mmCIF file of all heavy atoms in Angstrom:
data_model
loop_
_atom_site.group_PDB
_atom_site.id
_atom_site.type_symbol
_atom_site.label_atom_id
_atom_site.label_comp_id
_atom_site.label_asym_id
_atom_site.label_seq_id
_atom_site.Cartn_x
_atom_site.Cartn_y
_atom_site.Cartn_z
ATOM 1 N N THR F 125 86.297 132.558 110.150
ATOM 2 C CA THR F 125 86.557 131.489 109.151
ATOM 3 C C THR F 125 86.253 130.138 109.841
ATOM 4 O O THR F 125 86.419 130.034 111.057
ATOM 5 C CB THR F 125 88.005 131.547 108.712
ATOM 6 O OG1 THR F 125 88.909 131.395 109.790
ATOM 7 C CG2 THR F 125 88.259 132.790 107.907
ATOM 8 N N LEU F 126 85.945 129.113 109.043
ATOM 9 C CA LEU F 126 85.681 127.821 109.479
ATOM 10 C C LEU F 126 86.667 126.810 108.840
ATOM 11 O O LEU F 126 86.610 126.721 107.584
ATOM 12 C CB LEU F 126 84.324 127.394 109.268
ATOM 13 C CG LEU F 126 83.902 125.944 109.764
ATOM 14 C CD1 LEU F 126 84.044 125.799 111.266
ATOM 15 C CD2 LEU F 126 82.434 125.584 109.319
ATOM 16 N N CYS F 127 87.460 126.111 109.495
ATOM 17 C CA CYS F 127 88.359 125.106 109.020
ATOM 18 C C CYS F 127 87.889 123.694 109.430
ATOM 19 O O CYS F 127 87.603 123.411 110.504
ATOM 20 C CB CYS F 127 89.799 125.328 109.462
ATOM 21 S SG CYS F 127 91.017 124.209 108.842
ATOM 22 N N LEU F 128 87.895 122.801 108.381
ATOM 23 C CA LEU F 128 87.559 121.379 108.595
ATOM 24 C C LEU F 128 88.834 120.596 108.511
ATOM 25 O O LEU F 128 89.564 120.846 107.468
ATOM 26 C CB LEU F 128 86.507 120.915 107.627
ATOM 27 C CG LEU F 128 85.252 121.829 107.492
ATOM 28 C CD1 LEU F 128 84.316 121.193 106.391
ATOM 29 C CD2 LEU F 128 84.538 122.060 108.738
ATOM 30 N N GLY F 129 89.025 119.516 109.291
ATOM 31 C CA GLY F 129 90.210 118.642 109.179
ATOM 32 C C GLY F 129 89.856 117.271 109.450
ATOM 33 O O GLY F 129 88.920 117.006 110.201
ATOM 34 N N ARG F 130 90.557 116.345 108.768
ATOM 35 C CA ARG F 130 90.316 114.954 108.869
ATOM 36 C C ARG F 130 91.607 114.202 109.049
ATOM 37 O O ARG F 130 92.642 114.562 108.466
ATOM 38 C CB ARG F 130 89.559 114.431 107.647
ATOM 39 C CG ARG F 130 89.051 113.002 107.731
ATOM 40 C CD ARG F 130 88.340 112.636 106.507
ATOM 41 N NE ARG F 130 87.872 111.206 106.512
ATOM 42 C CZ ARG F 130 87.404 110.574 105.465
ATOM 43 N NH1 ARG F 130 87.373 111.056 104.288
ATOM 44 N NH2 ARG F 130 87.173 109.338 105.615
ATOM 45 N N ASP F 131 91.559 113.074 109.775
ATOM 46 C CA ASP F 131 92.894 112.278 110.001
ATOM 47 C C ASP F 131 93.348 111.755 108.754
ATOM 48 O O ASP F 131 92.785 111.722 107.785
ATOM 49 C CB ASP F 131 92.504 111.191 111.076
ATOM 50 C CG ASP F 131 91.648 110.116 110.579
ATOM 51 O OD1 ASP F 131 92.082 109.334 109.752
ATOM 52 O OD2 ASP F 131 90.438 110.005 110.974
ATOM 53 N N ARG F 132 94.727 111.215 108.904
ATOM 54 C CA ARG F 132 95.454 110.882 107.693
ATOM 55 C C ARG F 132 94.847 109.733 106.843
ATOM 56 O O ARG F 132 94.763 109.816 105.637
ATOM 57 C CB ARG F 132 96.844 110.389 108.143
ATOM 58 C CG ARG F 132 97.636 111.568 108.628
ATOM 59 C CD ARG F 132 98.928 110.951 109.431
ATOM 60 N NE ARG F 132 99.858 111.999 109.794
ATOM 61 C CZ ARG F 132 99.713 112.669 110.969
ATOM 62 N NH1 ARG F 132 98.600 112.543 111.672
ATOM 63 N NH2 ARG F 132 100.674 113.627 111.232
ATOM 64 N N VAL F 133 94.349 108.713 107.485
ATOM 65 C CA VAL F 133 93.838 107.592 106.665
ATOM 66 C C VAL F 133 92.378 107.463 106.588
ATOM 67 O O VAL F 133 91.817 106.726 105.817
ATOM 68 C CB VAL F 133 94.371 106.173 107.299
ATOM 69 C CG1 VAL F 133 95.903 106.091 107.194
ATOM 70 C CG2 VAL F 133 93.945 106.013 108.820
ATOM 71 N N GLY F 134 91.673 108.364 107.263
ATOM 72 C CA GLY F 134 90.185 108.478 107.121
ATOM 73 C C GLY F 134 89.429 107.557 107.994
ATOM 74 O O GLY F 134 88.299 107.107 107.605
ATOM 75 N N ALA F 135 89.994 107.314 109.218
ATOM 76 C CA ALA F 135 89.172 106.505 110.127
ATOM 77 C C ALA F 135 87.880 107.215 110.559
ATOM 78 O O ALA F 135 86.872 106.545 110.836
ATOM 79 C CB ALA F 135 89.922 106.221 111.410
ATOM 80 N N LYS F 136 87.976 108.470 110.597
ATOM 81 C CA LYS F 136 86.655 109.319 111.020
ATOM 82 C C LYS F 136 86.301 110.145 109.693
ATOM 83 O O LYS F 136 87.175 110.321 108.722
ATOM 84 C CB LYS F 136 86.990 110.309 112.061
ATOM 85 C CG LYS F 136 87.416 109.773 113.315
ATOM 86 C CD LYS F 136 86.310 108.968 114.038
ATOM 87 C CE LYS F 136 86.720 108.452 115.401
ATOM 88 N NZ LYS F 136 85.658 107.685 116.015
ATOM 89 N N THR F 137 84.966 110.349 109.570
ATOM 90 C CA THR F 137 84.526 110.959 108.326
ATOM 91 C C THR F 137 83.958 112.318 108.591
ATOM 92 O O THR F 137 83.633 112.666 109.726
ATOM 93 C CB THR F 137 83.319 110.128 107.695
ATOM 94 O OG1 THR F 137 82.450 109.831 108.720
ATOM 95 C CG2 THR F 137 83.926 108.839 107.136
ATOM 96 N N LEU F 138 83.862 113.183 107.598
ATOM 97 C CA LEU F 138 83.352 114.534 107.707
ATOM 98 C C LEU F 138 82.763 114.993 106.367
ATOM 99 O O LEU F 138 83.378 114.839 105.312
ATOM 100 C CB LEU F 138 84.457 115.569 108.079
ATOM 101 C CG LEU F 138 84.016 116.922 108.720
ATOM 102 C CD1 LEU F 138 83.199 116.639 109.926
ATOM 103 C CD2 LEU F 138 85.222 117.754 109.041
ATOM 104 N N TYR F 139 81.504 115.339 106.366
ATOM 105 C CA TYR F 139 80.682 115.696 105.202
ATOM 106 C C TYR F 139 80.278 117.130 105.240
ATOM 107 O O TYR F 139 80.028 117.732 106.365
ATOM 108 C CB TYR F 139 79.547 114.798 105.006
ATOM 109 C CG TYR F 139 79.919 113.345 104.913
ATOM 110 C CD1 TYR F 139 80.042 112.542 106.054
ATOM 111 C CD2 TYR F 139 80.133 112.755 103.710
ATOM 112 C CE1 TYR F 139 80.367 111.219 106.012
ATOM 113 C CE2 TYR F 139 80.512 111.350 103.621
ATOM 114 C CZ TYR F 139 80.561 110.671 104.704
ATOM 115 O OH TYR F 139 80.944 109.336 104.659
ATOM 116 N N TYR F 140 80.044 117.789 104.042
ATOM 117 C CA TYR F 140 79.605 119.136 104.102
ATOM 118 C C TYR F 140 78.684 119.334 102.754
ATOM 119 O O TYR F 140 79.020 118.788 101.709
ATOM 120 C CB TYR F 140 80.742 120.140 104.084
ATOM 121 C CG TYR F 140 81.732 119.965 102.969
ATOM 122 C CD1 TYR F 140 81.683 120.733 101.815
ATOM 123 C CD2 TYR F 140 82.720 119.097 103.168
ATOM 124 C CE1 TYR F 140 82.539 120.564 100.755
ATOM 125 C CE2 TYR F 140 83.708 118.885 102.101
ATOM 126 C CZ TYR F 140 83.614 119.621 100.886
ATOM 127 O OH TYR F 140 84.489 119.532 99.881
ATOM 128 N N THR F 141 77.715 120.142 102.925
ATOM 129 C CA THR F 141 76.921 120.576 101.789
ATOM 130 C C THR F 141 77.715 121.623 100.960
ATOM 131 O O THR F 141 78.503 122.412 101.582
ATOM 132 C CB THR F 141 75.533 121.110 102.152
ATOM 133 O OG1 THR F 141 75.746 122.282 102.938
ATOM 134 C CG2 THR F 141 74.715 120.120 102.870
ATOM 135 N N ARG F 142 77.554 121.583 99.679
ATOM 136 C CA ARG F 142 78.477 122.457 98.835
ATOM 137 C C ARG F 142 77.795 123.591 98.143
ATOM 138 O O ARG F 142 78.379 124.304 97.302
ATOM 139 C CB ARG F 142 79.207 121.620 97.816
ATOM 140 C CG ARG F 142 78.294 120.853 96.819
ATOM 141 C CD ARG F 142 79.177 120.096 95.902
ATOM 142 N NE ARG F 142 78.426 119.459 94.830
ATOM 143 C CZ ARG F 142 78.798 119.216 93.614
ATOM 144 N NH1 ARG F 142 79.949 119.646 93.310
ATOM 145 N NH2 ARG F 142 78.043 118.528 92.723
ATOM 146 N N THR F 143 76.491 123.801 98.411
ATOM 147 C CA THR F 143 75.764 124.876 97.782
ATOM 148 C C THR F 143 74.901 125.655 98.781
ATOM 149 O O THR F 143 74.627 125.115 99.945
ATOM 150 C CB THR F 143 74.839 124.355 96.665
ATOM 151 O OG1 THR F 143 73.960 123.433 97.291
ATOM 152 C CG2 THR F 143 75.586 123.707 95.551
ATOM 153 N N GLY F 144 74.447 126.772 98.463
ATOM 154 C CA GLY F 144 73.632 127.571 99.343
ATOM 155 C C GLY F 144 74.349 128.567 100.161
ATOM 156 O O GLY F 144 75.584 128.480 100.351
ATOM 157 N N THR F 145 73.665 129.581 100.734
ATOM 158 C CA THR F 145 74.312 130.518 101.570
ATOM 159 C C THR F 145 74.679 130.004 102.956
ATOM 160 O O THR F 145 75.647 130.466 103.558
ATOM 161 C CB THR F 145 73.386 131.678 101.768
ATOM 162 O OG1 THR F 145 72.136 131.302 102.314
ATOM 163 C CG2 THR F 145 73.114 132.505 100.434
ATOM 164 N N THR F 146 73.962 129.005 103.402
ATOM 165 C CA THR F 146 74.296 128.295 104.554
ATOM 166 C C THR F 146 74.815 126.910 104.306
ATOM 167 O O THR F 146 74.213 126.136 103.580
ATOM 168 C CB THR F 146 73.112 128.161 105.575
ATOM 169 O OG1 THR F 146 72.694 129.447 105.948
ATOM 170 C CG2 THR F 146 73.483 127.387 106.834
ATOM 171 N N ARG F 147 75.989 126.596 104.741
ATOM 172 C CA ARG F 147 76.552 125.246 104.573
ATOM 173 C C ARG F 147 76.495 124.436 105.887
ATOM 174 O O ARG F 147 76.542 125.011 106.964
ATOM 175 C CB ARG F 147 78.060 125.330 104.208
ATOM 176 C CG ARG F 147 78.414 126.213 103.023
ATOM 177 C CD ARG F 147 77.919 125.642 101.698
ATOM 178 N NE ARG F 147 78.344 126.484 100.650
ATOM 179 C CZ ARG F 147 79.536 126.484 99.981
ATOM 180 N NH1 ARG F 147 80.421 125.513 100.392
ATOM 181 N NH2 ARG F 147 79.799 127.235 98.973
ATOM 182 N N TRP F 148 76.183 123.197 105.663
ATOM 183 C CA TRP F 148 75.977 122.239 106.761
ATOM 184 C C TRP F 148 77.086 121.254 106.828
ATOM 185 O O TRP F 148 77.444 120.677 105.718
ATOM 186 C CB TRP F 148 74.649 121.549 106.691
ATOM 187 C CG TRP F 148 73.464 122.583 106.703
ATOM 188 C CD1 TRP F 148 72.926 123.229 105.623
ATOM 189 C CD2 TRP F 148 72.865 123.102 107.828
ATOM 190 N NE1 TRP F 148 71.960 124.165 106.053
ATOM 191 C CE2 TRP F 148 71.834 123.991 107.366
ATOM 192 C CE3 TRP F 148 72.851 122.816 109.198
ATOM 193 C CZ2 TRP F 148 70.942 124.690 108.209
ATOM 194 C CZ3 TRP F 148 71.980 123.517 110.070
ATOM 195 C CH2 TRP F 148 71.043 124.433 109.619
ATOM 196 N N ILE F 149 77.647 120.892 107.924
ATOM 197 C CA ILE F 149 78.729 120.053 108.208
ATOM 198 C C ILE F 149 78.388 119.062 109.219
ATOM 199 O O ILE F 149 77.790 119.401 110.281
ATOM 200 C CB ILE F 149 79.979 120.815 108.604
ATOM 201 C CG1 ILE F 149 80.337 121.933 107.530
ATOM 202 C CG2 ILE F 149 81.212 119.960 108.782
ATOM 203 C CD1 ILE F 149 79.908 123.292 107.875
ATOM 204 N N ALA F 150 78.756 117.805 109.035
ATOM 205 C CA ALA F 150 78.564 116.709 110.051
ATOM 206 C C ALA F 150 79.508 115.540 109.831
ATOM 207 O O ALA F 150 79.928 115.304 108.691
ATOM 208 C CB ALA F 150 77.149 116.244 109.948
ATOM 209 N N PRO F 151 79.741 114.779 110.848
ATOM 210 C CA PRO F 151 80.692 113.656 110.783
ATOM 211 C C PRO F 151 79.906 112.463 110.142
ATOM 212 O O PRO F 151 80.526 111.412 109.689
ATOM 213 C CB PRO F 151 81.070 113.365 112.227
ATOM 214 C CG PRO F 151 79.890 113.811 113.014
ATOM 215 C CD PRO F 151 79.399 115.014 112.318
ATOM 216 N N ARG F 152 78.603 112.458 110.022
ATOM 217 C CA ARG F 152 77.807 111.431 109.443
ATOM 218 C C ARG F 152 76.948 111.974 108.284
ATOM 219 O O ARG F 152 76.256 112.995 108.483
ATOM 220 C CB ARG F 152 76.886 110.795 110.509
ATOM 221 C CG ARG F 152 77.732 110.141 111.672
ATOM 222 C CD ARG F 152 78.661 109.079 111.150
ATOM 223 N NE ARG F 152 78.011 107.991 110.390
ATOM 224 C CZ ARG F 152 77.402 106.958 111.016
ATOM 225 N NH1 ARG F 152 77.387 106.886 112.369
ATOM 226 N NH2 ARG F 152 76.728 106.092 110.208
ATOM 227 N N LEU F 153 76.944 111.282 107.154
ATOM 228 C CA LEU F 153 76.294 111.772 106.048
ATOM 229 C C LEU F 153 74.739 111.846 106.235
ATOM 230 O O LEU F 153 74.062 112.740 105.886
ATOM 231 C CB LEU F 153 76.483 110.797 104.867
ATOM 232 C CG LEU F 153 75.872 111.083 103.521
ATOM 233 C CD1 LEU F 153 76.311 112.372 102.995
ATOM 234 C CD2 LEU F 153 76.163 109.965 102.461
ATOM 235 N N ARG F 154 74.208 110.917 106.976
ATOM 236 C CA ARG F 154 72.768 110.867 107.326
ATOM 237 C C ARG F 154 72.307 112.067 108.129
ATOM 238 O O ARG F 154 71.158 112.475 108.083
ATOM 239 C CB ARG F 154 72.499 109.554 107.888
ATOM 240 C CG ARG F 154 70.927 109.230 107.975
ATOM 241 C CD ARG F 154 70.653 107.822 108.128
ATOM 242 N NE ARG F 154 69.173 107.576 108.127
ATOM 243 C CZ ARG F 154 68.513 107.242 109.205
ATOM 244 N NH1 ARG F 154 69.183 107.064 110.299
ATOM 245 N NH2 ARG F 154 67.186 106.964 109.189
ATOM 246 N N SER F 155 73.287 112.629 109.000
ATOM 247 C CA SER F 155 72.818 113.797 109.696
ATOM 248 C C SER F 155 72.456 114.993 108.889
ATOM 249 O O SER F 155 71.885 115.902 109.258
ATOM 250 C CB SER F 155 74.016 114.149 110.689
ATOM 251 O OG SER F 155 74.288 113.110 111.558
ATOM 252 N N LEU F 156 73.003 114.963 107.588
ATOM 253 C CA LEU F 156 72.853 116.118 106.701
ATOM 254 C C LEU F 156 71.491 115.978 105.876
ATOM 255 O O LEU F 156 71.119 116.888 105.169
ATOM 256 C CB LEU F 156 74.001 116.301 105.808
ATOM 257 C CG LEU F 156 75.258 116.677 106.447
ATOM 258 C CD1 LEU F 156 76.413 116.811 105.404
ATOM 259 C CD2 LEU F 156 75.187 118.027 107.251
#
Side-chain angles (χ1 to χ4, degrees):
T125 59
L126 178 63
C127 183
L128 312 179
R130 188 178 177 195
D131 67 71
R132 292 168 175 78
V133 294
K136 300 293 185 181
T137 50
L138 198 57
Y139 299 90
Y140 57 95
T141 59
R142 60 178 183 149
T143 57
T145 56
T146 297
R147 305 292 184 85
W148 300 87
I149 302 100
R152 299 300 305 275
L153 182 60
R154 193 158 180 253
S155 296
L156 296 179

